[in-house]
Amino acid sequence: MNFSSPSASSHSLAPFGWDEGWDAEFAPYAAQGLVPGRVARVDRGLCDVVTADGVIRADTEFVVPRDPMKVVCTGDWAAVDPEGAGPRYVRSLLPRRTAFVRSTSSKRSEGQILAANVDHAVVAVSLAAELDLARIERFLALAWESGAQPVVVLTKADLVPDAPTRSHLVHDVETSAPGVPVITVSARDGDGIDVLAALTADGTTVLLGQSGAGKSTLANALLGEDVMDVRAVRDVDGKGRHTTTTRNLLALPGGGVLIDTPGLRGVGLWDAGTGVGQVFAEIEELAGDCRFHDCAHESEPGCAVLDAVEAGELPRRRLDSYRKLLRENQYIVAKTDARLRAEMRKDWKRKGAIGKAAMEAKRGRFQ
């Protein structure tokens, strides 16, 4: 089959996201006799790749870079050996359009790619547990930074039958997610599934969230069958069990592609400054009216952000969360940027000197 033909490629791999843009990117590999495929799952040096001839098992030996950000990931488009080549290998990866990345839990300065070439990042949040707005903001910062459109899905809505209470919870999330659609769903009753299905019918969607958020149940509802294993949440602490242990790519019956991910306990930022800015868009806008361009919104005179907090127009919790994520992101970036580390040390010394001078002046007044 000639994969350099747009009509051929759209007929065979369009359900998995193949389009004319990918076809053009793949042309040099087609000339080498390689075939395109999308990585559906990665496991110990091997991966499942969806091709025009079905799902194949391919070795990743030739695409194991030292840079962990370039390793094969679910959602990647790959150039693989043609059928009949004996053991089949992934020979190269096409450039990613988007990538959802978090920092690793190790002490090393490394990012971990959770999904590639994603159009929608669905953050699943269970209404069966107390809302953690700061965690939602953290997920959204990474989602915006990835280049995907974030969506917050409040699952298990049937457990909050009281309409005013549910409306209040939705409002709290909407306040913490400016510019982000917020959908309430109940996989048990089917409420809201049609809305989510319509949104995910175009492009690739990744499901994100903590264990117990109902991602696997949500995936099954979108797929129309029980494909993903589902287990009950623990009664002891309300936490979920890891039913999904790998990232899996699946074609949805109504169109679109779904990537389900394991539950994420830790969600560290990874060079997500732009994403943080989008999550806290109202603070960024207010900051434009501060007297000083480098205002830290702590105690500076003429700070429009602090004025908004005092006036009750901006929740103090939002400002605290904004500061925390900015500090964390700056620290992560500084671990891999020597120039920024030097600037941070210089800034710490400057602030330390100012604090010391203020203390000495205070002592002088009381002596």
Side-chain angles (χ1 to χ4, degrees):
M1 182 175 289
N2 179 12
F3 282 97
S4 63
S5 166
S7 60
S9 63
S10 63
H11 174 71
S12 57
L13 291 173
F16 289 91
W18 188 260
D19 57 29
E20 292 186 4
W22 292 121
D23 192 74
E25 290 278 2
F26 191 78
Y29 302 105
Q32 300 172 31
L34 301 175
V35 298
R38 193 163 193 193
V39 178
R41 174 175 171 160
V42 181
D43 181 30
R44 298 181 181 179
L46 298 172
C47 63
D48 293 338
V49 183
V50 180
T51 70
D53 299 318
V55 179
I56 67 168
R57 193 73 163 158
D59 198 305
T60 63
E61 180 181 350
F62 295 107
V63 282
V64 184
R66 292 186 177 181
D67 186 350
M69 299 286 283
K70 297 179 180 179
V71 299
V72 179
C73 179
T74 301
D76 272 324
W77 283 100
V80 300
D81 289 326
E83 188 175 6
R88 301 177 75 171
Y89 291 88
V90 174
R91 297 291 175 173
S92 187
L93 300 178
L94 300 189
R96 292 165 177 152
R97 293 178 181 175
T98 63
F100 192 96
V101 183
R102 69 168 178 173
S103 65
T104 61
S105 57
S106 67
K107 295 182 179 180
R108 295 183 296 176
S109 303
E110 293 181 353
Q112 179 190 21
I113 298 178
L114 299 180
N117 300 313
V118 172
D119 300 291
H120 309 288
V122 170
V123 179
V125 180
S126 172
L127 288 178
E130 184 177 354
L131 287 178
D132 186 343
L133 297 177
R135 177 173 285 272
I136 293 174
E137 290 162 346
R138 179 180 294 272
F139 268 110
L140 292 177
L142 291 174
W144 279 122
E145 193 69 33
S146 76
Q149 166 64 52
V151 181
V152 176
V153 174
L154 302 178
T155 66
K156 307 182 183 181
D158 53 284
L159 298 181
V160 188
D162 181 62
T165 300
R166 188 188 302 182
S167 178
H168 177 72
L169 293 172
V170 170
H171 175 72
D172 284 348
V173 175
E174 288 177 336
T175 301
S176 302
V180 176
V182 178
I183 304 171
T184 58
V185 303
S186 169
R188 176 180 297 178
D189 301 336
D191 294 340
I193 296 298
D194 56 338
V195 177
L196 183 59
L199 186 147
T200 58
D202 181 25
T204 298
T205 300
V206 62
L207 274 177
L208 305 159
Q210 290 180 283
S211 297
K215 298 189 305 302
S216 295
T217 301
L218 203 58
N220 287 337
L222 290 171
L223 291 163
E225 57 181 318
D226 291 339
V227 174
M228 309 305 296
D229 184 26
V230 177
R231 300 178 190 171
V233 172
R234 293 195 301 251
D235 292 331
V236 175
D237 54 13
K239 294 182 180 180
R241 300 173 176 86
H242 285 292
T243 56
T244 302
T245 56
T246 60
R247 290 175 281 281
N248 303 283
L249 183 144
L250 303 159
L252 296 171
V257 180
L258 182 69
I259 298 176
D260 192 19
T261 64
L264 302 174
R265 288 194 177 93
V267 192
L269 297 186
W270 178 261
D271 197 5
T274 300
V276 172
Q278 287 181 273
V279 174
F280 299 92
E282 80 278 29
I283 297 180
E284 296 270 305
E285 184 176 355
L286 285 168
D289 295 326
C290 291
R291 181 183 301 177
F292 304 109
H293 74 278
D294 59 347
C295 183
H297 321 306
E298 294 178 350
S299 58
E300 297 86 346
C303 175
V305 175
L306 292 179
D307 288 345
V309 172
E310 291 297 323
E313 299 169 357
L314 175 69
R316 168 68 66 175
R317 188 206 66 78
R318 284 279 285 171
L319 178 57
D320 291 342
S321 182
Y322 174 66
R323 288 171 174 161
K324 180 179 180 179
L325 292 184
L326 279 184
R327 286 195 301 268
E328 179 181 327
N329 190 67
Q330 187 180 37
Y331 172 73
I332 289 294
V333 174
K335 287 170 71 175
T336 57
D337 188 327
R339 180 186 59 80
L340 183 58
R341 285 200 301 273
E343 290 180 355
M344 287 178 65
R345 283 195 295 269
K346 183 178 179 180
D347 187 52
W348 292 336
K349 289 181 180 179
R350 180 181 64 81
K351 290 182 177 180
I354 293 174
K356 183 178 180 180
M359 288 299 295
E360 289 178 350
K362 185 176 180 180
R363 291 194 193 97
R365 288 198 302 270
F366 291 98
Q367 285 179 350

